[in-house]
Amino acid sequence: MIFDAHCDIWTDVTHHHLAGERDIFRRYHYERLEKGGITGGIFVIWNDPPYDKDPLKRTHQMMEAIAQEEKDCADILKVCRSFRDMDEAIKDGKMYAFIGLEGLKSIGEDVDRIDEFYQFGARHASLTWNEENPLATGARGNPDRGLTDLGRKAVRKIQDLGMILDMSHINDKSFWDVMDVAAGPVVATHSNCRALCNQARNLTDEQLKALADTGGMVGLNSFNEFVHPVESEQTVDNLVKHLIHMVEIMGIDHVGFGFDFSEFLEGDTLNSFSSQATPYTIGLEDASHVPALMEAIRKAGFSHEEIEKIAWKNWHTLIHKVLHA
């Protein structure tokens, strides 16, 4: 079993849905995930460029596509709204997906709209993608701008609803501002270590430790530019070094996967965050190659029990702790 805490499949599903296609997850994604041993994860609603110009419209388009997929693929994929849903999916031999919100640009200044998304099924949220918005500041925003008063209200609402609060993509000032407000576990679903690759999207050792201190987690990210600054060194072995460092700083109970695979994205969507010819780590080109990563982790000396924790148990424990049902 492998849990991927950050997956952009809903973005691809929406592209195909708007082109009039149906049963998209089964046709384009299921086989690859199954081959890789991925059993479930968090599939996010992301206002992908260039559609982020009207983020609420794009969010509603994605919700419509998800609702259709939930019907079309009910025999192979369960969209989960509780820990119990996930448990049932596993017993039934189905893949499972929690709905996440990658950034809340779509709510504007209406924090109560988070309730609408929760009622639809969202059980995860981050405040920003890379942008500045009325709530907080992303990794590409003004480094001196942090969390706003509205953002503080959003943090409290997210946690009061029993949603997973995600710090990936947020800038350093906003990160520490959120940590001053948040209560209970806080995570970074798809971030690596800044000590090994000096990218603003990666986390410092102090940030990793702070997440662990909340009872939270970080998910190892396979996006190549977060692995190593030199393209030829963006390899599975160097990605495993990030995992080792995370465990050294945070402890084995606070580390998992958040692969952020994006090989199926293209055009302006892919170019909005990728500056290289490809977005993947060498040897981990897509989800079907995850077994190669697992073998590299074993070779690095992790025990069977430790690998199980990293692969799925830690995320399952956190979900049970955070979600209200």
Side-chain angles (χ1 to χ4, degrees), residues 52-298:
D52 57 338
K53 293 179 177 62
D54 191 341
L56 184 57
K57 176 182 178 181
R58 186 59 169 181
T59 296
H60 284 151
Q61 287 176 337
M62 297 188 77
M63 291 164 67
E64 178 184 303
I66 292 166
Q68 185 63 60
E69 281 297 290
E70 187 171 5
K71 297 174 186 175
D72 291 346
C73 297
D75 58 319
I76 59 170
L77 178 71
K78 184 174 183 66
V79 177
C80 297
R81 284 134 177 117
S82 66
F83 185 89
R84 184 169 52 252
D85 284 348
M86 180 177 70
D87 199 37
E88 290 175 359
I90 294 168
K91 289 176 181 175
D92 292 340
K94 297 180 183 180
M95 286 187 190
Y96 56 92
F98 290 94
I99 300 169
L101 302 168
E102 186 173 22
L104 288 173
K105 184 178 181 180
S106 61
I107 73 170
E109 297 184 359
D110 184 6
V111 171
D112 289 336
R113 194 171 286 277
I114 297 172
D115 293 313
E116 173 195 343
F117 300 151
Y118 181 85
Q119 289 301 318
F120 176 72
R123 295 296 182 267
H124 154 282
S126 58
L127 299 179
T128 72
W129 186 57
N130 286 329
E131 85 287 347
E132 295 181 12
N133 65 34
L135 306 178
T137 308
R140 294 182 182 174
N142 179 356
D144 296 322
R145 183 181 185 269
L147 189 68
T148 67
D149 288 341
L150 206 62
R152 291 178 177 85
K153 292 180 182 178
V155 167
R156 287 190 286 269
K157 178 174 281 290
I158 289 165
Q159 293 198 305
D160 287 347
L161 286 170
M163 300 172 72
I164 297 167
L165 177 62
D166 188 356
M167 303 284 259
S168 287
H169 281 285
I170 208 164
N171 76 348
D172 288 354
K173 187 173 190 326
S174 295
F175 178 100
W176 293 113
D177 287 348
V178 171
M179 295 303 286
D180 287 340
V181 177
V186 181
V187 309
T189 55
H190 57 300
S191 296
N192 289 343
C193 307
R194 206 176 298 179
L196 302 185
C197 183
N198 189 20
Q199 280 266 5
R201 272 280 287 105
N202 286 340
L203 300 174
T204 66
D205 289 357
E206 292 76 16
Q207 290 172 325
L208 293 171
K209 182 66 165 59
L211 291 175
D213 288 345
T214 71
M217 288 184 58
V218 65
L220 186 74
N221 191 327
S222 73
F223 178 58
N224 53 11
E225 294 182 38
F226 300 160
V227 175
H228 198 283
V230 179
E231 286 192 41
S232 62
E233 295 296 321
Q234 294 166 350
T235 63
V236 167
D237 286 342
N238 280 327
L239 179 60
V240 172
K241 291 179 181 177
H242 284 267
L243 179 66
I244 293 168
H245 188 78
M246 290 173 184
V247 172
E248 289 175 347
I249 298 298
M250 305 179 74
I252 193 69
D253 294 328
H254 301 283
V255 180
F257 296 138
F259 290 121
D260 200 11
F261 289 120
S262 55
E263 82 287 344
F264 49 82
L265 302 178
E266 57 187 22
D268 290 341
T269 299
L270 180 61
N271 294 335
S272 67
F273 61 86
S274 180
S275 63
Q276 297 180 186
T278 62
Y280 49 75
T281 289
I282 299 166
L284 194 57
E285 286 77 10
D286 60 39
S288 70
H289 293 267
V290 168
L293 171 65
M294 303 308 293
E295 180 59 26
I297 292 171
R298 278 188 284 270

